[in-house]
């Protein structure tokens, strides 16, 4: 059982709603960075490693959404999304690490379009 996972081929994130544990096993389906930020802020996902993954997945979802709309300002929009994700739980070191790690790839030019 995975706490958080990318679901192919539909390209969404599924995570265990940890607020429901241990009495219920319920999943949340996340489609974009806004939903991911809300899940993080609401404490639906907890634990340092899971928060790092959630931050990176949130940005990947955002990039997927932006490229679908053919955004010409992908890098700046991803940075704004990263700031919003980080502010959803500003003391979560691994969340900040996950977001910054993915933004470094964007800034290096490794990806300009996904």
């Amino acid at each position: 059982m995975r706490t958080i996972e990318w679901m192919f081929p539909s390209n969404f994130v599924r995570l265990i709603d940890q607020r429901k544990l241990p009495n219920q096993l319920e999943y949340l389906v996340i489609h974009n960075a806004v939903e991911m930020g809300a899940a993080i802020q609401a404490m639906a996902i907890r634990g340092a490693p899971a928060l790092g993954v959630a931050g990176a997945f949130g940005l990947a979802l955002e990039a997927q959404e932006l490229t679908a709309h053919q955004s010409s300002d992908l890098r700046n929009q991803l940075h704004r999304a990263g700031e919003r994700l980080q502010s959803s739980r500003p003391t979560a070191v691994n969340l900040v690490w996950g977001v910054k790690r993915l933004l470094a790839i964007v800034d290096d030019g490794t990806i300009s379009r996904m």
Side-chain angles (χ1 to χ4, degrees), residues 9-60:
S10 301
N11 292 325
F12 63 86
V13 174
R14 184 177 78 164
L15 57 91
I16 294 174
D17 187 341
Q18 295 183 9
R19 300 168 297 183
K20 307 290 182 176
L21 297 174
N23 298 325
Q24 298 175 23
L25 177 59
E26 189 173 309
Y27 291 92
L28 294 176
V29 174
I30 308 292
H31 296 97
N32 56 51
V34 171
E35 291 176 5
M36 185 65 79
I40 292 167
Q41 190 169 36
M43 304 289 283
I45 186 153
R46 294 189 290 251
L51 285 167
V53 172
F57 277 179
L59 275 182

Side-chain angles (χ1 to χ4, degrees), residues 7 11 22 32 38-39 46 53 61 66 69 74 83 86-87 90 98:
M7 303 301 290
N11 292 325
N32 56 51
R46 294 189 290 251
V53 172
L61 289 167
L66 291 171
H69 295 105
L74 182 62
E83 290 170 11
Q86 291 176 66
S87 71

